[in-house]
Amino acid sequence: SRRDDLISLGYFLIYLVNGIPPFFFNREGESSQEILRQQKLSMTPEQICENHSCKFFLPFMKEVYSYKFTEKPNYNKLMFYL
């Protein structure tokens, strides 16, 4: 969906600024697809953007997370946030 694509874009932008996103490693420092999936689904935009260098992505991530699966995004508003 467009929502999922925008969430992925947000993760990518955070990765470019911050390096590894907060959900990338589990507690033992190992990565696995199931653990990543669970962590991504359980994190809020505030937790994803908790690093100081990523705080300016918080409005974008909040807006994207607020969309429903089939909802058309307000691209002008999202561009403003970036």
Side-chain angles (χ1 to χ4, degrees), residues 2-72:
R2 293 177 276 199
R3 176 187 184 267
D4 292 339
D5 292 342
L6 290 168
I7 290 172
S8 294
L9 173 63
Y11 290 154
F12 179 69
L13 293 172
I14 290 169
Y15 169 76
L16 289 177
V17 170
N18 196 39
I20 298 173
F23 51 79
F24 193 73
F25 289 104
N26 68 11
R27 294 173 199 197
E28 289 79 38
E30 300 173 2
S31 64
S32 77
Q33 289 183 353
E34 183 58 30
I35 292 170
L36 286 175
R37 184 181 153 287
Q38 290 174 359
Q39 289 177 335
K40 284 171 144 181
L41 292 174
S42 68
M43 293 182 81
T44 64
E46 290 81 6
Q47 291 170 317
I48 293 167
C49 301
E50 69 185 359
N51 185 308
H52 178 68
S53 60
C54 297
K55 285 285 186 192
F56 56 91
F57 289 124
L58 184 57
F60 176 84
M61 293 302 282
K62 280 184 171 182
E63 180 71 17
V64 169
Y65 269 80
S66 73
Y67 294 136
K68 300 202 180 351
F69 184 77
T70 58
E71 188 174 353
K72 182 179 178 185

